[in-house]
Amino acid sequence: MAAMTQTVKPHKRTFGQWARSRDGQKVFVMVAFMIIPLLLLFLFTYLPFAEMFGFSFYNMKYIGARKFVGFKNYLKVFQRDDCFGALKLSLYYMGGSIVQLGLALYLATVLSFKVKGGGIFKGFMFFPYLINGIAIGFIFKFFYTRGFVFDTVLQWCGFELDNLPYWLKDQSVNNISLVGTSVWRYFGQNMVLFIGAIMSVDSELYEAAMLDGANRFQQFKYIILPSIKTIIMLNVILSITGSLSAFEPPYVITSGANGTGTYFVVMHEIAHTQQKVGLASAMAIVLLMIIFVATILQKLFFKYVFKSAEDEDLNATAKRDKKLAKLAARKAGR
């Protein structure tokens, strides 16, 4: 009698059965956790951005009639000195960010090793980042006022008050004074990020380097720097974009007076004081494009720099291996 084989078709679950199953519950949970933040992101980020982008093509105020002007607002951004010209002040903040990053990286390298009182020093340096930016603005407004804290300290060092400049009025030093405020505030954040990255480097690499006779600078150049390149790139991108969008120090301390009005301060005045919402929206879009281009250029630059460094290391390793192979061949020939 021949054995008969019977194929059993898999039972298809209905949607209700699948929804009550473990697999269905997992999908519902994932969708619920995804849809809520995405909905909030759409309502408070993407939708307002789309509205602002639409406003940039109109000559309009917050209340009243609108007039479509096309790309005229974008042309005005580049034609008006108070709009595009304000971006020149970002060079001061970019210069300050370079000093800030260099100092933060140096101290982070020192504090990554065992130093007495290092924990307390880290706390003091990071504390300014926790303070509200408006509060910091009022602190430094009092600090730089004529005859107050900074001038008093300089007089203790032997300077005459009459020979000191007005730190917030003299256009040769007022922007540098405001940049010092930003450096003081964000320096601790960069330092802590660098310390976290350096502490993640394998300690055996330092031991091997010390056995080979490498000093601290060589350890920094060949071990620390290549290992934390991602954090360096992140901090540089954050610093450059922050320099382009500086707002709190010039707005709170000087209100943009005496040539300290950055791009954001001018945009705030055009939008809320002059009620030129369309022009201010175009300024925001232009700044977004500049930040986007700057970020891409920075990524390409760091990719080229670190790739060149890696190629040099590979070439040096290959040359060393060839020398060792020749030496071993000579010894074997003897």
Side-chain angles (χ1 to χ4, degrees):
M1 183 175 179
M4 297 180 65
T5 59
Q6 184 178 3
T7 58
V8 180
K9 295 182 179 180
H11 176 67
K12 293 184 178 180
R13 292 182 296 180
T14 63
F15 178 78
Q17 291 174 339
W18 175 82
R20 289 190 296 269
S21 66
R22 186 177 181 84
D23 294 335
Q25 294 296 322
K26 286 182 179 179
V27 173
F28 283 133
V29 170
M30 287 188 294
V31 171
F33 275 96
M34 288 174 57
I35 201 167
I36 294 175
L38 288 177
L39 181 62
L40 294 174
L41 188 65
F42 173 77
L43 289 176
F44 296 104
T45 302
Y46 296 115
L47 184 60
F49 174 78
E51 290 288 334
M52 182 186 67
F53 181 73
F55 292 162
S56 65
F57 296 101
Y58 288 89
N59 184 5
M60 55 176 289
K61 296 183 178 181
Y62 286 107
I63 300 175
R66 302 180 183 180
K67 180 181 178 182
F68 183 79
V69 294
F71 289 96
K72 289 185 179 180
N73 286 326
Y74 290 94
L75 294 176
K76 288 182 181 179
V77 173
F78 295 94
Q79 292 172 352
R80 291 181 49 158
D81 293 335
D82 60 342
C83 291
F84 194 75
L87 280 175
K88 296 177 182 178
L89 297 182
S90 300
L91 297 176
Y92 286 97
Y93 292 89
M94 289 182 185
S97 66
I98 294 173
V99 175
Q100 168 186 313
L101 290 173
L103 188 60
L105 183 58
Y106 171 74
L107 290 178
T109 306
V110 173
L111 294 173
S112 296
F113 302 97
K114 293 183 179 180
V115 179
K116 290 184 178 180
I120 298 175
F121 185 79
K122 293 175 191 176
F124 280 129
M125 293 296 100
F126 186 71
F127 179 73
Y129 179 70
L130 303 177
I131 305 176
N132 182 270
I134 304 299
I136 289 178
F138 283 111
I139 290 171
F140 276 90
K141 187 173 185 177
F142 178 78
F143 181 79
Y144 285 126
T145 300
R146 184 69 168 180
F148 280 70
V149 180
F150 193 38
D151 288 343
T152 301
V153 173
L154 291 178
Q155 287 180 78
W156 290 346
C157 297
F159 292 90
E160 295 291 336
L161 181 62
D162 294 337
N163 296 330
L164 296 176
Y166 286 86
W167 303 107
L168 300 179
K169 293 182 179 180
D170 191 342
Q171 295 191 14
S172 62
V173 295
N174 55 4
N175 284 300
I176 298 175
S177 301
L178 296 178
V179 169
T181 303
S182 297
V183 171
W184 181 81
R185 183 186 180 189
Y186 293 105
F187 156 75
Q189 178 204 20
N190 297 135
M191 187 186 72
V192 169
L193 290 175
F194 283 138
I195 290 175
I198 294 173
M199 294 293 287
S200 64
V201 179
D202 190 358
S203 60
E204 293 181 357
L205 295 175
Y206 299 117
E207 296 175 1
M210 292 175 66
L211 292 175
D212 291 339
N215 55 32
R216 291 294 188 189
F217 177 75
Q218 290 172 331
Q219 292 178 27
F220 171 78
K221 182 178 179 181
Y222 296 106
I223 297 176
I224 295 176
L225 202 58
S227 301
I228 65 171
K229 58 184 180 181
T230 303
I231 300 299
I232 293 176
M233 185 172 66
L234 174 64
N235 277 336
V236 170
I237 290 173
L238 291 176
S239 298
I240 297 300
T241 54
S243 301
L244 292 170
S245 57
F247 175 72
E248 290 173 345
Y251 181 73
V252 178
I253 299 176
T254 62
S255 299
N258 301 312
T260 59
T262 57
Y263 192 85
F264 252 65
V265 174
V266 174
M267 185 169 61
H268 176 271
E269 180 183 356
I270 289 175
H272 300 296
T273 303
Q274 301 179 15
Q275 292 282 308
K276 296 180 179 179
V277 180
L279 179 58
S281 300
M283 291 179 67
I285 299 298
V286 169
L287 181 62
L288 176 64
M289 293 296 103
I290 293 173
I291 291 176
F292 179 76
V293 172
T295 303
I296 297 298
L297 292 177
Q298 289 174 78
K299 286 187 176 181
L300 293 175
F301 172 76
F302 277 103
K303 184 179 180 180
Y304 173 77
V305 168
F306 286 116
K307 184 179 180 181
S308 299
E310 290 175 358
D311 291 340
E312 290 179 1
D313 292 340
L314 291 174
N315 292 332
T317 303
K319 289 180 181 179
R320 184 185 64 183
D321 292 340
K322 287 182 180 179
K323 289 180 180 179
L324 292 174
K326 289 180 180 180
L327 182 61
R330 290 177 183 176
K331 289 182 179 180
R334 292 177 184 176

